[in-house]
């Protein structure tokens, strides 16, 4: 049985497996420019973040109806439970859908249908985080937040994703301020391809409570000291970093150094359908490549619950379950 854990960096659109993409394409009468699921999978060779994003947004064409979003999220929940995931804070990219004429309400209703009562139905508690696309305008982000105001009961926070370099966090200062006023948590992708300065800006200007990726923070010792002192969690995604060539190979991944520096790092799958594995595979392969100790693996699992936006009582219950799991020889 895999170690109990929370997954905090997971784009629901990035869980679209080729087989489901073809099934939805058929259902919606959409032609995909690939012969079959195998041919599609063969296209998953990426040079960088942008080359992935191009395919990621293209394939979203198959997501049109509420039921499509429900099917997508239910497939993830089933898979995640088998990986020992007890709690998932799930990203979605509404602008990637509204731009194609799929209403915000359709996306949120479809995802919520899967996530409501997920703990009873799938054994996983869930929260939904609305991500703004940083390569779109601040006005577009604000319009998206406006649309979200009628659905605040279904959201736990906002995030920032898509093409990082050239789109520093400060562009979204106003929209993140508004999100905070609405009582939403704030996270941001930073230091994936972008420099450590973007991580600082996400903390100082956006009030980010967690940093997604954040691996390039390791280039800046003052920033590392700050992340350690302030216990800012970093949601690290090893397979993603290798597939998008931010890191040459798993054996070169900075995760072990991050743990040794006392950072609150967690392991996550990012876009598992595209990057070769779900969260448990990320954890196992990275632990093997970096020779992580049992203590470091336990710390990663503990960090995942501590870094979550769960209330303290629920966090304690999950941590107790983790301790019980670790106590069995
Ligand atoms: N980085 C930025 N944007 C994204 C990612 C990522 O890893 N995955 C999906 N959108
Ligand atoms: Zn991501």
């Amino acid at each position: 049985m895999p170690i109990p854990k929370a997954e905090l960096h997971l784009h629901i659109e990035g869980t679209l497996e080729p087989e489901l993409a073809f099934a939805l394409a058929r259902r919606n009468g959409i032609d995909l420019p690939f012969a079959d699921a195998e041919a599609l999978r063969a296209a998953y060779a990426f040079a960088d973040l942008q080359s992935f994003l191009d395919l990621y947004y293209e394939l979203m064409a198959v997501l049109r109806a509420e039921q499509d979003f429900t099917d997508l999220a239910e497939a993830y929940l089933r898979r995640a439970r088998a990986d020992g995931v007890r709690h998932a804070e799930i990203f979605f990219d509404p602008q990637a859908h509204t731009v194609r004429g799929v209403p915000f309400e359709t996306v949120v209703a479809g995802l919520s249908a899967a996530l409501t009562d997920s703990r009873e139905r799938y054994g996983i508690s869930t929260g939904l985080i609305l991500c703004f696309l940083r390569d779109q305008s601040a006005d577009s982000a604000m319009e998206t937040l406006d649309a979200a105001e009628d659905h605040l009961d279904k959201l736990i926070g906002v995030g920032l994703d898509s093409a990082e370099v050239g789109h520093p966090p400060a562009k979204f200062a106003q929209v993140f301020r508004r999100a905070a006023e609405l009582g939403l948590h704030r996270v941001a992708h930073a230091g994936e391809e972008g420099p450590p300065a973007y991580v600082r800006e996400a903390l100082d200007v956006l009030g980010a409570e967690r940093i997604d990726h954040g691996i390039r923070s390791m280039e800046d010792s003052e920033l590392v000291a700050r992340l350690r002192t302030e216990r800012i969690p970093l949601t690290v995604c090893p397979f993603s970093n290798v597939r998008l060539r931010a890191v040459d190979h798993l054996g070169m991944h900075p995760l072990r150094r991050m743990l040794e520096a006392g950072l609150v790092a967690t392991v996550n799958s990012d876009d598992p359908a595209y990057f070769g594995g779900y969260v448990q595979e990320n954890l196992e392969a990275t632990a093997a490549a970096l020779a992580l100790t049992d203590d470091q693996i336990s710390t990663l699992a503990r960090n995942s619950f501590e870094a979550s936006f769960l209330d303290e009582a629920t966090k304690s219950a999950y941590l107790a379950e983790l301790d019980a799991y670790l106590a069995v020889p």
Side-chain angles (χ1 to χ4, degrees), residues 210-321:
R210 287 196 304 246
I211 297 295
D212 297 312
H213 294 296
I215 52 171
R216 287 198 58 196
S217 305
M218 296 306 284
E219 297 168 19
D220 181 331
S221 58
E222 267 179 40
L223 177 59
V224 170
R226 176 181 178 186
L227 294 169
R228 176 179 56 238
T229 306
E230 297 182 17
R231 291 194 60 76
I232 307 287
L234 303 169
T235 63
V236 178
C237 305
F239 281 8
S240 169
N241 297 148
V242 171
R243 290 299 188 100
L244 301 186
R245 307 202 188 185
V247 171
D248 286 343
H249 58 87
L250 269 188
M252 293 279 287
H253 198 281
L255 179 67
R256 186 182 171 122
R257 286 187 286 121
M258 296 170 93
L259 291 169
E260 287 168 351
L263 299 185
V264 185
T266 66
V267 166
N268 307 268
S269 68
D270 206 4
D271 301 284
Y274 293 87
F275 299 150
Y278 285 74
V279 62
Q280 180 63 18
E281 291 162 286
N282 269 269
L283 183 62
E284 283 175 16
T286 310
L290 299 177
L292 297 185
T293 64
D294 288 349
D295 269 359
Q296 285 174 320
I297 294 169
S298 309
T299 296
L300 287 166
R302 197 164 285 118
N303 287 350
S304 74
F305 292 117
E306 282 173 359
S308 74
F309 294 133
L310 288 165
D311 62 77
E312 291 304 319
T314 313
K315 251 186 219 187
S316 297
Y318 281 131
L319 287 166
E321 186 189 346

Side-chain angles (χ1 to χ4, degrees), residues 45 48 101 103 105 129 136 157 184 190 213 218 258 287 306 316 328:
D48 53 17
E105 286 69 25
I129 296 177
Q136 305 294 313
L184 293 164
H213 294 296
M218 296 306 284
M258 296 170 93
E306 282 173 359
S316 297
V328 177

Side-chain angles (χ1 to χ4, degrees), residues 9 11 49 52-53 56 93 161-162 189 192 213 240 244 270-271 275:
H9 185 159
H11 302 264
L49 174 57
F52 154 69
L53 291 170
Y56 170 78
D93 287 329
D161 65 4
S162 202
H189 283 54
E192 179 186 16
H213 294 296
S240 169
L244 301 186
D270 206 4
D271 301 284
F275 299 150

Side-chain angles (χ1 to χ4, degrees), residues 30-108:
I30 291 164
D31 264 339
L32 285 177
F34 299 92
D36 54 27
E38 270 320 293
L40 176 52
R41 205 166 252 121
Y44 292 177
F46 307 113
D48 53 17
L49 174 57
Q50 189 60 56
S51 65
F52 154 69
L53 291 170
D54 292 344
L55 185 61
Y56 170 78
Y57 293 128
E58 184 182 356
L59 267 197
M60 284 186 205
V62 304
L63 297 164
R64 297 223 60 94
E66 206 173 298
Q67 188 65 46
D68 303 338
F69 291 90
T70 306
D71 291 351
L72 180 69
E74 289 188 334
Y76 166 69
L77 290 172
R78 278 192 293 273
R79 188 69 188 66
R81 177 68 207 194
D83 264 11
V85 175
R86 295 291 187 274
H87 175 71
E89 298 182 358
I90 298 174
F91 297 145
F92 73 117
D93 287 329
Q95 289 156 293
H97 309 301
T98 53
V99 74
R100 304 180 289 109
V102 178
F104 184 92
E105 286 69 25
T106 300
V107 181
V108 170

